């Protein structure tokens, strides 16, 4: 599959053993994308996010090769811990590189300063996992800023308004589904 | 009257039988030489029940229900138990903030420092080829994949990365995970279930411990990197145990132990595995791209055929300077994980630019084997330079890129030991601009190995960087530890 957007190119595959193994071909099919969790459309190249992500990649590289409590905390990681807390109106936040680990390691993610301090001190993924890739961190920062309108445009509000239209649901109901 | 007579007679007959039963020889008890009839026992029990019932507090509903104001007052007065214990002031972790890429030299809190805190073993952080491949990937695919691998999250670069790793290691297939530490703690529970036996090294790091816990298998630990202990453990578990032959049995080890810098003797482990018929799960996060003539890991280092290791996992956040992890092995081992491994099934797939970075990093390693020679000479030089550091000794293997310095003599208190080591690390950073870190532990970590200063050596370090580190550590440790030893 190529490029997560409203449409993407699906790579066709063939099999010589009844689909036990599949080999990719050079053919692709353009498909409408209704299968990705790309609710606000930030996954594809974005006029505000992508240049900043590339800039952060050049500055910080793809990885810190270190855990948060050692040499894996950049200015971006600190900024991203401040932004969502402000966004949801909580005193503090803690950042994990994987949603699955966040859920399995800690349930109270954005509760209070003491909880966050406690997690930073004793939560194993914070102490032992390589910190989140800086360009990925920058992408989330930029996306939240767009949603908050801090990018100097109303694109965030437009995205939220568009997703609330529930156009697909309404049309499906009209068509008898 | 005539009709009631049979009922009365029947009742009398039943009572007569009951009293006969209670007064019979079997119903009599002798307590301290006194004969007690059966009915006395029953009556005693009844009295006990009555006393118990009378002594219980009877529920009395409040005479007058609480007013709204009283309820509010009670709520205001109520103070819940804290959700977590308070953290002692000295125990708070304030990580230094990096202001540039975490290469051999980085900027920490506005000051350029020599960086020995990042596991950037091959010096690939900031590598232009890797950054270029990331940029082209970002422009083509965007940042995130927005879906798990089985649900529109598989992008062609993921498949390229999987085949590249499998080809590089000489295994039939491999599988990508989106997070380094979740790889091992998803793989272990995918194969090891309740009732299985796992024999694990007591020095394994938290991610492995978590995998062992999640598997619900019977876990038996052997002494850290001690093959005699492993052999005796396997012998005890299998000798004369018919049931052991029918259940799945695993040995779980790390190639280079994150908690000690020791290297597992794979040749001996494979010999024992074959003798006792166990399977081996090998965690290679710190040896992949580091050990072996061409960086293919522990199997190449010991000359062990890779097919003799059943399951190999590794994080890509070290030598490859990217993120995520992989598991490699037979086609069957890999295919099983695609539907049974929680970290693979329930997580969004690895961002495509990181998969591109991994492919570029493996290509770089294949094209530039000299980078391994640089790394090894740096490790050897560091061992030589730090051999006479006051109060500290190297406890790691001579080929390990994790150079582990522990106190020659412990104070007897792990907290005091950590404080001393933290002081050394802080002084080295503040006074000499040398960035080193201690091996901090979570209170959920069951590993009992001693803590120490953990130095990550990179092929990108120069001789000057290493001499700067050694002179700083010698000076600082001499001043900090002089009062103790």
């Amino acid at each position: 599959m190529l490029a997560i957007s409203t449409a993407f190119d699906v790579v066709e595959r063939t099999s010589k053993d009844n689909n036990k193994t599949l080999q990719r071909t050079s053919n692709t099919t353009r498909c409408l994308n209704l299968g990705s969790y790309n609710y606000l459309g930030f996954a594809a190249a974005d006029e505000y996010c992508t240049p900043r992500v590339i800039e952060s990649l050049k500055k910080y590289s793809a990885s810190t090769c270190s855990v948060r409590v050692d040499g894996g905390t950049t200015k971006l990681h600190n900024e991203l811990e401040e932004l969502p807390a402000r966004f949801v109106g909580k005193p503090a936040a803690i950042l994990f590189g994987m949603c699955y680990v966040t859920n399995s390691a800690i349930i109270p993610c954005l509760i209070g300063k003491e909880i966050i301090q406690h997690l930073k001190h004793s939560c194993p993924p914070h102490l032992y996992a390589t910190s989140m890739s800086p360009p990925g961190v920058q992408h989330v920062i930029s996306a939240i800023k767009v949603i908050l309108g801090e990018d100097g445009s109303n694109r965030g509000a437009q995205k939220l308004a568009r997703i609330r239209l529930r156009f697909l649901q309404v049309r499906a109901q009209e068509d008898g589904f | 009257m005539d009709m009631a007579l049979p009922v009365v007679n029947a009742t009398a007959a039943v009572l007569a039988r009951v009293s006969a039963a209670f007064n019979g020889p079997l119903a009599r008890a002798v307590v301290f030489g006194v004969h007690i009839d059966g009915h006395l026992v029953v009556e005693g029990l009844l009295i006990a029940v009555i006393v118990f019932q009378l002594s219980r507090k009877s529920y009395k509903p409040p005479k007058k229900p609480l007013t709204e104001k009283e309820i509010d007052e009670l709520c205001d007065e109520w103070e819940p138990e804290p959700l977590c214990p308070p953290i002692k002031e000295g125990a708070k972790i304030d990580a230094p903030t990096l202001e540039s890429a975490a290469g051999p030299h980085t900027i920490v809190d506005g000051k350029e420092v020599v960086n020995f805190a990042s596991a950037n073993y091959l010096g690939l952080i900031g590598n232009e080829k890797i950054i270029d491949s990331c940029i082209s990937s970002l422009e083509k695919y965007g940042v995130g994949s927005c879906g798990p691998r089985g649900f529109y999250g598989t992008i062609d670069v993921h498949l390229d990365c999987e085949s590249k790793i499998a080809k590089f290691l000489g295994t039939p297939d491999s599988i990508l995970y989106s997070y380094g530490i979740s790889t091992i703690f998803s793989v272990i529970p995918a194969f090891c279930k309740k009732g299985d036996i796992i024999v694990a090294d007591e020095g394994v790091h938290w991610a492995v411990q978590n995998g062992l816990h999640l598997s619900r298998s019977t876990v038996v630990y052997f002494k850290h990197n001690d093959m005699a202990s492993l052999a005796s453990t396997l012998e005890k578990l299998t000798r004369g145990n018919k049931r052991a032959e029918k259940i799945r049995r695993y040995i779980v080890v790390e190639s280079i132990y994150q908690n000690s810098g020791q290297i597992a003797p794979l040749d001996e482990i494979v010999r024992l595995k074959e003798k006792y018929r166990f399977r081996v799960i090998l965690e290679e996060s710190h040896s992949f791209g580091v050990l072996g003539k061409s960086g293919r890991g522990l199997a190449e280092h010991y000359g062990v055929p890779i097919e003799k290791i059943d399951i190999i996992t590794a994080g890509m956040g070290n030598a490859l300077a990217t993120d995520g992890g992989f598991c490699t092995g037979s086609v069957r081992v890999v295919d099983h994980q695609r539907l049974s491994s929680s970290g693979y099934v329930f997580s969004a797939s690895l961002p495509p630019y990181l998969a591109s970075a991994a492919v570029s990093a493996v290509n770089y390693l294949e094209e530039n084997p000299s980078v391994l020679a640089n790394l090894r000479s740096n490790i050897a030089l560091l061992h030589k330079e730090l051999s006479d550091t006051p109060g500290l000794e190297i406890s790691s293997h001579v080929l390990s890129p994790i150079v582990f310095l522990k106190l020659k003599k412990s104070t007897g208190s792990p907290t005091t030991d950590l404080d001393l080591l933290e002081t050394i690390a802080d002084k080295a950073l503040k006074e000499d601009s040398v960035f080193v870190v201690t091996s901090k532990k979570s209170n959920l970590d069951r590993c009992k190995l001693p803590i120490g200063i953990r130095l990550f050596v990179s092929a990108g370090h120069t001789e000057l960087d290493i001499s700067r580190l050694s002179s700083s550590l010698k000076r600082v440790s001499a001043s900090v530890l002089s009062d103790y030893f």
Side-chain angles (χ1 to χ4, degrees):
Chain A
M1 192 182 79
L2 304 171
I4 308 291
S5 186
T6 51
F8 50 48
D9 297 322
V10 176
V11 178
E12 290 178 16
R13 295 185 292 177
T14 59
S15 177
K16 292 168 187 167
D17 52 13
N18 295 319
N19 291 345
K20 193 178 178 185
T21 58
L22 296 160
Q23 288 77 40
R24 280 181 281 167
T25 68
S26 55
N27 303 333
T28 60
T29 307
R30 192 80 174 157
C31 294
L32 178 66
N33 180 9
L34 297 172
S36 294
Y37 306 132
N38 179 25
Y39 303 126
L40 297 177
F42 284 112
D46 181 86
E47 62 190 73
Y48 182 79
C49 300
T50 307
R52 283 161 180 78
V53 169
I54 290 169
E55 206 177 294
S56 73
L57 177 66
K58 287 173 180 172
K59 185 179 180 182
Y60 291 105
S61 198
S63 174
T64 62
C65 293
S66 187
V67 303
R68 283 294 304 277
V69 295
D70 290 348
T73 297
T74 67
K75 278 187 164 181
L76 294 176
H77 292 89
N78 290 339
E79 187 181 350
L80 185 50
E81 284 187 333
E82 182 270 323
L83 255 180
R86 178 158 61 85
F87 182 45
V88 297
K90 295 286 178 183
I94 185 168
L95 175 65
F96 291 98
M98 187 191 202
C99 178
Y100 167 76
V101 169
T102 308
N103 292 334
S104 64
I106 50 144
I107 294 299
C109 192
L110 298 171
I111 294 170
K113 273 245 160 73
E114 302 79 24
I115 283 280
I116 299 302
Q117 196 58 52
H118 175 70
L119 292 173
K120 285 182 177 178
H121 182 256
S122 62
C123 186
H126 190 77
L127 293 169
Y128 302 130
T130 304
S131 64
M132 193 173 165
S133 172
V137 175
Q138 179 60 64
H139 180 73
V140 182
I141 290 168
S142 303
I144 293 173
K145 283 185 174 176
V146 170
I147 294 164
L148 289 169
E150 290 177 12
D151 63 327
S153 77
N154 66 340
R155 285 172 62 237
Q158 285 174 351
K159 282 174 181 284
L160 291 169
R162 210 174 297 141
I163 203 166
R164 285 175 189 144
L165 280 172
R166 299 186 299 121
F167 173 76
L168 196 70
Q169 191 178 338
V170 172
R171 274 300 298 270
Q173 283 171 345
E174 282 173 9
D175 292 346
F177 287 99
Chain B
M1 183 73 182
D2 290 340
M3 282 179 73
L5 198 62
V7 176
V8 171
N9 288 341
T11 309
V14 169
L15 286 169
R17 279 189 186 176
V18 170
S19 67
F22 278 134
N23 292 323
L26 291 173
R28 291 197 182 97
V30 179
V31 180
F32 300 121
V34 179
H35 287 269
I36 297 172
D37 289 338
H39 66 90
L40 291 176
V41 175
V42 174
E43 284 162 11
L45 284 170
L46 283 169
I47 290 161
V49 169
I50 290 161
V51 169
F52 172 72
Q53 291 290 354
L54 289 170
S55 65
R56 281 176 74 193
K57 277 187 181 175
S58 60
Y59 171 73
K60 285 176 188 164
K63 285 170 186 168
K64 199 168 72 178
L66 293 170
T67 63
E68 286 288 319
K69 192 184 174 188
E70 284 170 329
I71 290 167
D72 289 343
E73 280 172 4
L74 283 170
C75 289
D76 291 339
E77 284 167 19
W78 182 69
E79 275 196 29
E81 283 289 305
L83 279 165
C84 56
I87 299 161
K88 297 179 194 86
E89 198 52 48
K92 281 185 182 172
I93 296 169
D94 292 315
T97 302
L98 273 67
E99 292 164 30
S100 68
H105 294 92
T106 187
I107 297 166
V108 172
D109 300 325
K111 186 168 71 171
E112 189 176 314
V113 299
V114 183
N115 183 13
F116 284 90
S118 290
N120 173 31
Y121 301 136
L122 302 179
L124 295 180
I125 286 180
N127 180 284
E128 284 194 13
K129 276 188 179 176
I130 292 173
I131 287 173
D132 288 344
S133 78
C134 286
I135 290 170
S136 58
S137 185
L138 282 166
E139 286 167 346
K140 185 178 181 182
Y141 306 109
V143 177
S145 59
C146 287
R149 286 289 300 274
F151 191 73
Y152 300 99
T154 296
I155 293 166
D156 52 7
V157 74
H158 292 131
L159 302 174
D160 294 340
C161 186
E162 286 174 346
S163 59
K164 182 77 201 175
I165 287 164
K167 193 179 169 195
F168 177 70
L169 289 173
T171 53
D173 204 357
S174 71
I175 180 169
L176 269 189
Y177 285 81
S178 53
Y179 204 40
I181 61 162
S182 77
T183 307
I184 187 68
F185 73 66
S186 297
V187 170
I188 292 173
F191 292 98
C192 311
K193 306 290 177 193
K194 199 172 183 179
D196 296 349
I197 293 173
I198 302 175
V199 176
D201 190 294
E202 67 179 4
V204 291
H205 69 82
W206 175 81
V208 182
Q209 293 168 33
N210 195 36
L212 299 173
H213 169 70
L214 292 173
S215 72
R216 297 183 182 181
S217 302
T218 303
V219 183
V220 182
Y221 290 94
F222 65 92
K223 282 180 192 160
H224 179 49
N225 224 21
D226 184 333
M227 290 304 103
S229 172
L230 173 60
S232 70
T233 305
L234 298 179
E235 179 67 30
K236 275 178 202 163
L237 287 169
T238 52
R239 191 191 336 131
N241 187 350
K242 288 272 168 74
R243 190 177 156 271
E245 290 172 19
K246 291 180 181 138
I247 55 177
R248 289 177 300 224
R249 309 183 295 283
Y250 301 88
I251 297 168
V252 177
V253 288
E254 285 176 58
S255 49
I256 296 177
Y257 289 92
Q258 192 173 295
N259 288 330
S260 70
Q262 286 293 329
I263 294 178
L266 189 67
D267 50 354
E268 185 64 14
I269 290 166
V270 168
R271 190 186 68 76
L272 291 169
K273 153 212 151 93
E274 287 174 345
K275 181 182 175 183
Y276 294 102
R277 295 171 71 195
F278 272 66
R279 292 181 175 99
V280 170
I281 299 176
L282 182 65
E283 216 294 310
E284 286 226 64
S285 290
H286 294 280
S287 63
F288 177 72
V290 172
L291 291 181
K293 190 161 59 80
S294 54
R296 284 170 168 83
L298 198 63
E300 186 183 49
H301 174 69
Y302 278 103
V304 171
I306 201 151
E307 55 272 14
K308 290 201 172 186
I309 304 157
D310 302 273
I311 299 165
I312 293 172
T313 71
M316 300 192 295
N318 302 322
L320 298 187
T322 177
D323 214 338
F326 67 84
C327 177
T328 190
S330 67
V331 172
R332 202 171 171 190
V333 159
V334 168
D335 279 351
H336 175 71
Q337 291 172 68
R338 296 201 193 274
L339 287 176
S340 303
S341 185
S342 53
Y344 180 88
V345 174
F346 300 118
S347 173
S349 60
L350 185 69
Y353 75 94
L354 293 171
S356 294
V359 172
S360 300
V362 174
N363 286 338
Y364 178 86
L365 182 55
E366 285 180 316
E367 291 159 17
N368 301 277
S370 61
V371 75
L372 292 167
N374 291 356
L375 176 62
R376 279 171 204 142
S377 67
N378 282 350
I379 295 166
L381 180 62
L382 192 59
H383 270 262
K384 188 180 158 208
E385 293 268 334
L386 293 175
S387 58
D388 56 346
T389 309
L392 298 171
E393 63 182 356
I394 297 172
S395 63
S396 53
H397 192 281
V398 287
L399 291 173
S400 167
I402 300 172
V403 176
F404 207 87
L405 285 167
K406 65 174 188 181
L407 292 168
K408 276 181 184 166
K409 200 173 138 200
S410 171
T411 60
S413 158
T415 315
T416 313
D417 286 358
L418 183 61
D419 286 346
L420 286 171
L421 295 165
E422 285 281 9
T423 307
I424 292 168
D426 287 346
K427 276 178 170 277
L429 180 61
K430 287 186 181 110
E431 295 170 15
D432 301 321
S433 297
V434 171
F435 188 17
V436 298
V437 289
T438 58
S439 56
K440 300 168 192 75
K441 278 187 187 161
S442 162
N443 48 16
L444 300 174
D445 193 335
R446 69 169 305 285
C447 176
K448 298 290 182 281
L449 295 183
I451 46 171
I453 289 171
R454 197 190 277 145
L455 307 169
F456 295 101
V457 187
S458 170
H461 285 131
T462 62
E463 284 186 24
L464 186 66
D465 294 336
I466 289 164
S467 66
R468 203 170 138 188
L469 166 77
S470 70
S471 60
S472 171
L473 283 180
K474 281 174 184 175
R475 184 187 66 77
V476 172
S477 62
S479 71
V480 171
L481 302 175
S482 58
D483 299 341
Y484 283 86
F485 312 113

